[in-house]
Amino acid sequence: MRKFGFLITMIFATILISCNSEKSKTNSESENLNYSEKEPDTLTKHLKPFKAELPTIGLLMYNGVLQSEVIATSDVFAKPTEDGKQLFNVISIAETKNLITTEEGMRFVPDYTFEDCPKLTALFVPSAYDMYAQVNNKKIVDFIKEKNKETKFIVSNCAGAKLIGASGIADGKKIVTWIGGGKQLQKDYPNLRVQNDSLVTFVEDGKFSSSNGNLASYISALNLLEKMTSAEHRKFVESYLYLDRLQSWNQ
C-alpha cells in the first residue's frame, strides 16, 4: 500500500513539474514574441529608398577623405520637406566597395562603385590633406570626367579643386580651394581661374561651384540646394540644422 502511495505521489509530481515547465516555456516564448514586436527596426526605419524619379546627389569618397565635407552634403540633401517627403537620392561612391577610412578615422561602406554608379544630377568632390594619391589615380580622374558629361552640377570642396583641375573639366572657370592653397593650385592647373582664398569662401561659375571646404562645405551644399528647390526649403533645412545657433554661438 505504501508502495502504491509512493508511486501515485511520484506520478503527480512528474505531471506538476511538466506542466510548470510547459507554462514557463510558453511564457518565455510569449515574452520573446512581445519583445520582437516592440523592438524598433533601427535600420529600415532610417534607410532611404533609391527612387529613380528623384535627382541623385553623388558623394565621391576615397581613403583619407575629410569626413566633414561628405557629411555636410548628406546633411543638407538628405533632409525631407516640411511635410516629410524625400527630395533626393543621396549616395556615396568609391572605386571599390571596400571600407573607406576617413582622415578622422571613421569608416564608411560606399553605396556604389565607379562601375555601377547610377546617373547623377550633381557630383560633390571632397578633399584630403594629401591629394597626391587621388590626383594620380587615373580611375578617379576618369570617373569625374565621365560624370561631368551627365551631371547638371559639379561641386568641389577644399583641395577637391585639385581633382577638378586634374580632370580639366572646369578649365577657364572660377574656382576656390582651401585657405592658403590657391597659389599652388594656380601653378599646377594654369587653365583654372583660381580665386583669392583669403577673401573668397565660395564661388560659382556655370555648373561648377567650389568652397574652402570643411564646415564651409555647408555653404556650397546649401547654395546648390536652393538652386534645385527653393529659398524656402533652404531656410527650412538651415533651421533643421540649427545653423542660426552656430552663427551666434559665441554671443
Side-chain angles (χ1 to χ4, degrees), residues 52-232:
E53 71 275 13
L54 296 179
T56 299
I57 310 299
L59 314 179
L60 180 62
M61 297 186 73
Y62 42 76
N63 284 319
V65 70
L66 299 183
Q67 64 193 38
S68 61
E69 297 178 9
V70 176
I71 291 171
T73 305
S74 62
D75 232 1
V76 167
F77 282 93
K79 295 294 183 287
T81 62
E82 288 191 68
D83 56 358
K85 292 182 181 178
Q86 180 181 340
L87 290 179
F88 301 95
N89 301 308
V90 182
I91 64 172
S92 57
I93 313 143
E95 185 177 343
T96 70
K97 282 289 184 72
N98 295 336
L99 282 173
I100 293 293
T101 303
T102 70
E103 168 67 30
E104 296 80 6
M106 292 188 71
R107 295 189 294 175
F108 295 90
V109 180
D111 297 310
Y112 296 92
T113 68
F114 296 166
E115 299 297 325
D116 63 6
C117 179
K119 184 177 180 180
L120 301 179
T121 307
L123 174 65
F124 279 75
V125 181
S127 70
Y129 286 142
D130 183 358
M131 293 294 294
Y132 180 85
Q134 285 72 41
V135 169
N136 289 279
N137 186 328
K138 188 174 184 298
K139 290 183 178 180
I140 293 179
V141 175
D142 286 347
F143 174 75
I144 294 172
K145 288 180 181 179
E146 285 301 311
K147 286 302 172 183
N148 180 56
K149 298 175 183 178
E150 69 186 29
T151 53
K152 293 182 178 180
F153 307 99
I154 299 280
V155 183
S156 67
N157 291 306
C158 196
K162 286 182 173 289
L163 280 169
I164 301 299
S167 69
I169 62 173
D171 286 357
K173 301 293 185 180
K174 295 178 182 178
I175 197 168
V176 70
T177 187
W178 56 279
I179 300 173
K183 289 183 179 180
Q184 188 62 50
L185 181 67
Q186 188 69 82
K187 182 179 178 180
D188 292 341
Y189 307 103
N191 292 329
L192 293 174
R193 295 171 60 194
V194 179
Q195 304 300 292
N196 186 341
D197 48 73
S198 65
L199 302 174
V200 178
T201 300
F202 167 81
V203 67
E204 184 177 18
D205 193 344
K207 70 178 285 185
F208 302 100
S209 57
S210 52
S211 81
N212 298 145
N214 281 311
L215 290 183
S217 302
Y218 277 95
I219 298 174
S220 57
L222 286 164
N223 178 77
L224 183 55
L225 179 74
E226 182 173 339
K227 289 176 72 72
M228 298 179 72
T229 57
S230 66
E232 290 73 24

